[in-house]
Amino acid sequence: MTDRRGVVAKRAENLIPGVPYVRGWAQARRGADELAAQLTALGLESDFPALTADVNVSGDGLVRLGTIRPDAAMMLAELIASGLAAETPMHAETSILEAEDARHTSTAA
């Protein structure tokens, strides 16, 4: 079984020659390390004790959160929502500045 992005494909327990498992795992490791660093900075590392890198049968890297408590999942969802909310005004401000710059550039030409 797999989803549209191939993430839910079976774990790579039996390796198939020619599939770039190391590349996928290395990418997953970088993602897991970055997530772990952010969770540690927030004091949440104990809420995600099974965070690990993995790879599926297709060689795609996976970051596994492991089994977590519902409150840890809700906390992670809130952090993502807060980050998106903080990012949206920055994108809007950048778009306004780019539009003003384009307007000034076109009138100068």
Side-chain angles (χ1 to χ4, degrees):
M1 180 170 101
T2 187
D3 65 342
R4 65 183 172 84
R5 297 173 75 193
V7 175
V8 189
K10 285 179 41 179
R11 288 186 67 234
E13 294 175 350
N14 298 313
L15 303 181
I16 301 168
V19 176
Y21 295 109
V22 174
R23 184 181 311 135
W25 183 86
Q27 183 181 17
R29 185 75 219 153
R30 287 189 299 273
D33 286 346
E34 180 61 29
L35 181 56
Q38 295 300 319
L39 292 170
T40 299
L42 293 167
L44 302 174
E45 67 276 4
S46 63
D47 291 305
F48 298 86
L51 177 66
T52 188
D54 203 350
V55 66
N56 69 16
V57 71
S58 303
D60 302 317
L62 304 172
V63 175
R64 295 186 178 271
L65 297 179
T67 303
I68 59 174
R69 295 184 330 246
D71 61 325
M74 290 181 1
M75 194 177 335
L76 183 57
E78 288 173 11
L79 288 169
I80 291 169
S82 297
L84 290 172
E87 188 176 278
T88 301
M90 289 191 299
H91 282 296
E93 185 177 315
T94 301
S95 297
I96 291 168
L97 292 174
E98 288 173 352
E100 288 175 359
D101 188 42
R103 206 173 320 126
H104 292 311
T105 303
S106 65
T107 57

